Amino acid sequence: MNFQLNEEQEMTRQMVRDFAEKELRPGAEERDDQEKFSRDIFNKMGELGLTGIPFPEEYGGGGCDFISYVIAVEEISRVDASSGTTLSAHTSLAGWPLYKYGSEEQKKKYLEPICLGEKLGAFALTEATAGTDAAAQRTTAVADGDHYVLNGNKIFITNGGEAEICLVFAVTDKEKKAKGISAFIVDGNTPGMSAGKKERKMGLRSSPTVELVFENCRVPKENLLGKEGEGFKIAMSTLDGGRNGIAAQAVGIAQGAMEEAVNYAKSREQFGQPIANFQAVSFMLADMGTKIEAARLLTYQAAYLESNGLPYGKASAMAKLFAAEAAMEITTNAVQIFGGYGYTRDYPVERYMRDAKITQIYEGTSEVQRLVISRHLLG
Amino acid sequence: MKLILSDRHLKKKQEFTSFADQELDNGAEFPRRNLRKAAERGLMGLPIPVEHGGRGEDFLTYILLLEEVSRVCASTGVIIAVHTSVGTFPLLYYGSKTQKEKYLPGLAGGTLLGAFALTETGAGSDASALSTKAETREEGYILNGSKMFITSGGEADLYTLFATVDRSAGRRGITAFLVENNFQGLSAGPPELKMGLKRSSTTELRLDNMPVPSANLLGKEGEGFNIAMSLLDGGRIGIAAQGLGLARASIEYTRLVLKKRDTGKPGTARDAACLLAELETRLEAARLLTYRAAVMKGNGLRCSAEASMAKIFATDLAVGAAVKCMDICGIAHCSAEGKLARYFCDAKATQIYEGTNQIQRIVVAREMLK
């Protein structure tokens, strides 16, 4: 075993950390306040080569492994979790299925601009009545000549309304249930697809989460991803890897909150000494540090397995479950260490706490992760 | 990064798994037979260099052994851990050539059992407060005092024992000695009646005008505290491995119970399975933390915080998993003689010895607040 980052991974960490400190930290609070998505930030990530890290260079990707990718998500989320989710959804949920299931033509046409950061990606699976039970899709796709005609509504779509490339799941054969779902690549400007309600959220407020409405939206047949009926399989395998991106996001959020708490505990004086001197505080910090290390190792392990062609479904579910739960606890305790100040919006820890919550929910709730893991354990 | 065991380590681990499953027993008495079986395979000196009679394996391999042994018999696990981490390593690191030649082959070969005597009634977490006295004589030292909670007390052949040559000098007076069990004036008290680790002997050691020849001074006078502290990281990783083995034992037991259980109500079984999933996730995290600390230690890197994190996480899990597994398995699996009760009682010690988990948190926090 070897627990040290290699040179490429170390360089990725350094580069992304510099980027996050320089480009993300100054405006993070304001963007959160104003619930403002910054396309400029995404474009800069593209210029730096962060938008296609784990994909081959022939498609414009970075040609790096998944550890480098999760490190990038972690470092960005350490400063600005909203930007972390933009990158994670773009890479794991839009880029990856195109890379894994796309035809050569589809990869050239869609994966390449995603990798280069010229186009932003999104993943549209969830519906009002199809959340955890994703197979209960109601959006339909009916073949009509050279096209499929899509009708229905998708909700909670990260990057929705901003993305130029959307992967959309719809029912092509209702009889076949999960095996009757298909995946489509939909250009952002396709007539009949429009952005509906933009959600007002407690966290990740500068990442847009919107409804996507499909009204007789005609998608060319060559934009079917994989085969008809493979949609559910594509969605589930995409989420297996996507979970690891969320795990990385949770690790980054927790790390950011912990660093704030450590600095505060060292400088805040009560009873004539820094509060870090009190074990009630320092033990909380020690538990934060221990859990973050555990979460990080689980996350990197899942990324390692994926990079080496080994099964990673159980590992990424474990990483996401543990990291998300740890992030919620750690950010809550960070607010606790700040006391009353932590509850105000003058300090960033309340933002970290708000941002952490979603990691327990999206790309499969913690409860779903436990179910996934238990199936691996008990068959 | 390579975050899975190499083929070589995997092969060793399999060797230890079958050794533990097939050769170790779960009797009630001091596990002499288990220790002899371990000695026959060179496992009492696994990480000791070949030239000193050991098997010359790396630190991670040793940790894998402790995990596998503790999974089956945690008492045997702690005896081997103490024998190796704090009974043999100090001699390897600080012993003179003569001392090594005299004792190392026996310890590594398992004909001698090693132990460690630091703790006293008034010196637990604050080890520097020890009061056992070592007075200089022409031919060596005379030791007086008493040691508490000594693992393998009365059973061990050689103790790394700490006493002070000058109490006013505080920790700089503390000195380490190699004490043979047959030294005149040394006697072991009756074994403590413990809630767990019942097969391991834990006793008081009384030192009554016990002469120790100069040849048995380990290191120099006043170096004892540093010697003791330098062993802690390795020792703690060993206890983390013990916690890991115990947690695995509880989880594996429960997994088999669930596999057999058919409640007729799928929902119930699924809820129980999800509780198990949570434990399995933490087990994987504990494993990674422990192996990472072991690899760092093996590479000679500083790993105090990593070792403490591993110990906190793995041993807290060992206790938590045993309790949660009783919840999952139900009352039929909770008898005092049952395995889960044994795992629970054994696990509790791992949160306490080699530095309580509160001490570990102090170590981690100190590192974070630097």
Side-chain angles (χ1 to χ4, degrees), chain A residues 24-213:
Chain A
L24 302 182
R25 194 175 295 279
E29 186 191 337
E30 188 188 323
R31 287 192 300 277
D32 173 74
D33 251 356
Q34 301 176 357
E35 306 196 26
K36 199 172 83 186
F37 173 69
S38 164
R39 180 64 184 225
D40 188 42
I41 285 173
F42 176 75
N43 292 341
K44 281 181 179 158
M45 289 198 255
E47 285 160 23
L48 268 180
L50 304 182
T51 44
I53 292 175
F55 306 120
E57 290 171 21
E58 56 175 311
Y59 301 115
C64 301
D65 65 5
F66 283 90
I67 296 180
S68 294
Y69 164 59
V70 294
I71 285 173
V73 175
E74 175 190 340
E75 288 298 331
I76 287 172
S77 303
R78 172 180 162 270
V79 174
D80 176 7
S82 291
S83 296
T85 215
T86 305
L87 181 65
S88 176
H90 169 85
T91 311
S92 288
L93 302 187
W96 189 86
L98 285 168
Y99 166 64
K100 180 80 180 168
Y101 298 101
S103 67
E104 205 47 42
E105 271 178 12
Q106 288 171 336
K107 285 186 199 174
K108 277 286 164 205
K109 189 169 174 192
Y110 294 107
L111 179 58
E112 193 168 300
I114 278 193
C115 287
L116 295 173
E118 295 165 356
K119 290 185 176 173
L120 176 63
F123 177 87
L125 174 68
T126 298
E127 299 181 3
T129 52
T132 293
D133 183 8
Q137 298 274 306
R138 286 186 176 172
T139 299
T140 55
V142 178
D144 179 24
D146 294 338
H147 287 76
Y148 286 95
V149 182
L150 272 60
N151 277 290
N153 290 38
K154 297 287 177 183
I155 62 161
F156 297 153
I157 308 308
T158 301
N159 298 343
E162 303 286 345
E164 288 85 9
I165 297 172
C166 299
L167 291 192
V168 180
F169 296 83
V171 177
T172 43
D173 186 345
K174 202 177 168 193
E175 301 287 297
K176 291 185 179 163
K177 296 192 174 148
K179 288 192 172 135
I181 296 168
S182 304
F184 302 91
I185 309 164
V186 183
D187 274 299
N189 57 6
T190 310
M193 177 170 85
S194 59
K197 180 188 171 206
K198 184 181 175 219
E199 303 294 342
R200 299 179 61 234
K201 309 191 297 295
M202 74 179 268
L204 295 187
R205 287 155 57 112
S206 63
S207 152
T209 305
V210 308
E211 179 184 17
L212 287 182
V213 181

Side-chain angles (χ1 to χ4, degrees), chain B residues 150-195:
Chain B
I150 306 309
T151 299
S152 300
E155 299 284 349
D157 302 287
L158 187 71
Y159 299 92
T160 307
L161 186 146
F162 297 82
T164 177
V165 291
D166 178 4
R167 230 190 144 184
S168 66
R171 54 185 60 177
R172 279 185 299 277
I174 295 172
T175 304
F177 300 93
L178 298 169
V179 173
E180 296 180 20
N181 68 328
N182 55 9
F183 278 6
Q184 204 188 346
L186 176 72
S187 61
E192 301 282 346
L193 295 174
K194 308 192 296 295
M195 70 179 273

Side-chain angles (χ1 to χ4, degrees), chain B residues 71-111:
Chain B
R71 182 176 57 80
V72 175
C73 178
S75 293
T76 305
V78 73
I79 295 167
I80 296 179
V82 166
H83 164 83
T84 312
S85 290
V86 289
T88 310
F89 276 146
L91 185 61
L92 179 67
Y93 297 152
Y94 302 101
S96 67
K97 192 161 174 287
T98 321
Q99 289 170 337
K100 286 186 196 176
E101 279 169 2
K102 185 168 180 190
Y103 296 116
L104 261 185
L107 288 168
T111 52

Side-chain angles (χ1 to χ4, degrees), chain A residues 1-4 258 266 279 283 285-287 290 293 300-301 304 318 370-371 373-374 377-378, chain B residues 1-4 255 259 270 273 277-278 280-281 284 291-292 309 358 361-362 365 368-370:
Chain A
M1 289 184 114
N2 175 359
F3 290 83
Q4 274 174 323
M258 180 185 74
K266 277 156 75 167
Q279 288 188 342
F283 281 20
L285 294 175
D287 285 335
T290 302
E293 282 303 308
Y300 292 0
Q301 187 189 45
Y304 172 84
M318 283 181 167
R370 292 188 188 101
L371 202 61
I373 297 160
S374 74
L377 288 180
L378 298 167
Chain B
M1 284 190 133
K2 182 179 165 67
L3 296 180
I4 53 175
R255 197 178 71 83
K259 275 206 118 159
R270 189 189 295 158
E278 180 76 42
E280 180 77 13
T281 300
E284 190 60 37
Y291 293 177
R292 177 180 67 162
M309 285 180 175
Q358 286 67 41
R361 285 177 172 88
I362 291 175
M368 290 171 70
L369 290 164
K370 259 185 189 164

